[in-house]
Amino acid sequence: MAQRNPSELVAGAVVLAVAVGFLGYAVANTGRGTVSGYHLHARFDRIDGVSVGSDVRLAGVKVGSVTATGVDPKTYQAQVTFSVMSSLRLPVDSSAEIASDSILGGKVLSLVPGGDEKMLADGGEVTITQSAVSLEQLLGKFIFNVGDLSSNVQKMLRQDAKPDAPK
């Protein structure tokens, strides 16, 4: 077995230490920090991909984060509690929707401010909501419909190819 040069071992250790440092920095600064402010609630039929720490955005800008999720045992709807920065006051007719962060990314809670002059207070509820759209379900429906379309076209082509029966 060949002996290792001590400089190779030191260089390997330095590379490993730098890699661990970058990993630690990336984990500590993932942008999943909480935003202090007031808390609001919303109910959804589905919140696929939203979890504690997910971003709350308004006009694409992070203005808060999801602080809790759960299921209402009476209505079986998903309950989301989230914080919004104190400097941002939302009208009572504002809406919330589960939106995609990017094509490959996770989901975010997107807020759309309303036009009412009355503002939501700490602990208030956003009542106008739109649930998450499941990409898997949409893709499944598309594939199923394309299969049906293909079958129908094949049936029509077979009928057109048959000679007319004698009268």
Side-chain angles (χ1 to χ4, degrees):
M1 180 158 121
Q3 281 200 333
R4 299 284 178 198
N5 187 350
S7 62
E8 289 177 351
L9 292 175
V10 170
V14 169
V15 168
L16 188 59
V18 169
V20 169
F22 276 126
L23 180 63
Y25 178 79
V27 169
N29 296 298
T30 58
R32 291 278 189 188
T34 60
V35 174
S36 62
Y38 62 103
H39 288 85
L40 297 173
H41 307 280
R43 296 172 189 266
F44 297 89
D45 291 329
R46 306 178 63 95
I47 61 166
D48 297 345
V50 171
S51 60
V52 174
S54 294
D55 288 353
V56 174
R57 296 189 182 174
L58 189 140
V61 177
K62 182 177 178 178
V63 296
S65 59
V66 174
T67 58
T69 61
V71 175
D72 182 347
K74 294 179 183 173
T75 64
Y76 302 107
Q77 287 185 309
Q79 296 176 318
V80 178
T81 302
F82 56 97
S83 65
V84 176
M85 61 177 59
S86 302
S87 61
L88 182 66
R89 304 308 298 176
L90 291 170
V92 293
D93 62 341
S94 297
S95 64
E97 64 181 21
I98 308 297
S100 294
D101 188 20
S102 66
I103 291 176
L104 299 175
K107 302 281 186 168
V108 297
L109 180 65
S110 180
L111 299 174
V112 179
D116 202 318
E117 292 186 19
K118 189 175 178 185
M119 300 296 166
L120 286 165
D122 188 18
E125 183 170 356
V126 177
T127 56
I128 304 168
T129 61
Q130 182 176 342
S131 298
V133 176
S134 172
L135 185 61
E136 294 84 6
Q137 287 180 345
L138 287 176
L139 190 58
K141 287 179 182 179
F142 174 75
I143 291 169
F144 181 74
N145 288 337
V146 168
D148 281 350
L149 179 64
S150 173
S151 296
N152 290 336
V153 168
Q154 288 175 1
K155 285 179 187 176
M156 289 172 51
L157 290 173
R158 279 189 229 125
Q159 288 176 352
D160 287 345
K162 289 182 183 177
D164 291 334
K167 295 181 182 178

